[in-house]
Amino acid sequence: MNEVMELARFGVLAGVQTEAVRAHAHDLDSWLRTQPGFVARTLVGPDSEGWFTDIVRWRSQEQALAAAGRIMQEPSLAKFMALIDPARVQMSHAPVIAEVR
């Protein structure tokens, strides 16, 4: 079973400040820690085009996809999800093949 990196790029709705994303990102941290297969998370952004990238490491793609299926129904994440522009979301998964620390 290969670990998987999830890359979720997203933009926020007009008027949403970076501080709001930062404040509510902690809600997602707490939820992720309870999910089977979760390894680590890094949130970066916004980049020069206003995109954030959420990088989440999972023990398997199956566990990553299962969590993705539960995330929209999680009430504790409603404030974070409400910041995201649904027209500006891109998600992909890829196996981890090398790592340098």
Side-chain angles (χ1 to χ4, degrees), residues 8-95:
R9 291 188 73 219
F10 64 91
V12 295
L13 295 168
V16 172
Q17 301 297 313
T18 300
E19 187 52 44
V21 175
R22 183 178 296 122
H24 294 296
H26 297 293
D27 299 335
L28 185 52
D29 292 342
S30 297
W31 183 79
L32 283 169
R33 286 186 185 105
T34 70
Q35 299 308 297
F38 171 75
V39 176
R41 174 188 190 219
T42 302
L43 177 62
V44 299
D47 64 16
S48 62
E49 296 176 2
W51 288 86
F52 291 84
T53 302
D54 213 343
I55 306 160
V56 184
R57 189 168 183 154
W58 296 94
R59 296 200 194 291
S60 73
Q61 181 152 343
E62 292 76 21
Q63 291 169 317
L65 295 174
R70 292 188 292 271
I71 199 168
M72 296 306 290
Q73 287 75 42
E74 177 54 43
S76 68
L77 302 179
K79 289 180 181 178
F80 182 76
M81 296 306 210
L83 304 174
I84 298 172
D85 180 349
R88 294 182 65 206
V89 175
Q90 303 171 347
M91 183 177 288
S92 64
H93 296 86

